[in-house]
Amino acid sequence: MAAEREKKGATEAEKGEAVAEKGAAAAKEAAGGRIITLESSSGEPHVVVKLPNVAARTLDTVLEYCNMHAGPGAAPATKPDSAPTAAAAGGSSSSSSVDTAATEDRTFLDVLSLNALHDLLIAANDLEIERLLDAICQKVAGMIKGKTPDEIRATFSIVNDLTPAAEAELHHKYAWAFDE
């Protein structure tokens, strides 16, 4: 009987070592910011995706956003474009929840720097989080709206690589776009 317990103990130790090695390899790869491991309620890990373009800090922001919209009382995942339709159909509670979600998204994004916003845009695109991607694009559109090309360049630190002659040619060719 003691021999059986000893044999069973050795087998359990071997299994433990194999799991530890596998965990160490996963931890080593995860430390480089390359994978996401989700753990089920039963404690079983699942490697789901490699993210070579997403830093840990950005992933934390993505997860914070997702948790904000997945928790109790979270607003529904309705597209902002559908709000006027819902309001016209008499769905005022639906419309108000969409407005609340849009306000939460704006508040969430307003505290981010331009670099963090850019990184979040890349992550939302890579992870195909359409709602976050839409919210970021709306934020950027709001940053551009009503600005001149020079103001947009200043806002986003874009170097004007056009010569004055090339810029004048564009103004002439696309005069309709520069009408005020």
Side-chain angles (χ1 to χ4, degrees):
M1 187 116 171
E4 270 184 48
R5 275 189 248 148
E6 191 174 311
K7 185 177 178 182
K8 185 177 180 182
T11 304
E12 292 295 324
E14 288 171 1
K15 285 182 184 176
E17 289 174 14
V19 169
E21 288 176 16
K22 185 178 177 183
K28 183 177 179 183
E29 192 172 353
R34 299 225 176 262
I35 62 170
I36 295 177
T37 303
L38 300 177
E39 188 173 309
S40 67
S41 61
S42 62
E44 196 173 323
H46 298 276
V47 177
V48 291
V49 65
K50 291 184 179 190
L51 297 169
N53 298 326
V54 181
R57 175 179 243 155
T58 303
L59 185 57
D60 289 342
T61 306
V62 169
L63 293 174
E64 182 183 344
Y65 178 86
C66 292
N67 286 330
M68 179 176 81
H69 288 291
T78 308
K79 288 194 176 244
D81 296 341
S82 66
T85 306
S92 61
S93 64
S94 173
S95 177
S96 67
S97 63
V98 170
D99 292 342
T100 301
T103 301
E104 288 175 350
D105 288 351
R106 281 192 298 275
T107 303
F108 182 82
L109 296 174
D110 281 346
V111 299
L112 299 176
S113 69
L114 193 56
N115 286 336
L117 198 62
H118 173 264
D119 293 344
L120 194 59
L121 177 74
I122 299 298
N125 186 52
D126 285 355
L127 293 168
E128 298 178 10
I129 304 172
E130 188 175 333
R131 182 175 178 170
L132 178 56
L133 192 57
D134 289 346
I136 296 168
C137 289
Q138 286 179 351
K139 166 103 175 131
V140 172
M143 295 170 74
I144 292 173
K145 187 175 182 179
K147 291 187 176 180
T148 66
D150 288 331
E151 291 170 332
I152 294 169
R153 286 187 195 106
T155 300
F156 296 102
S157 302
I158 300 170
V159 176
N160 184 0
D161 58 353
L162 294 174
T163 64
E167 197 166 347
E169 181 182 336
L170 286 174
H171 277 271
H172 177 72
K173 187 174 182 180
Y174 301 104
W176 57 267
F178 297 98
D179 290 339
E180 292 183 24

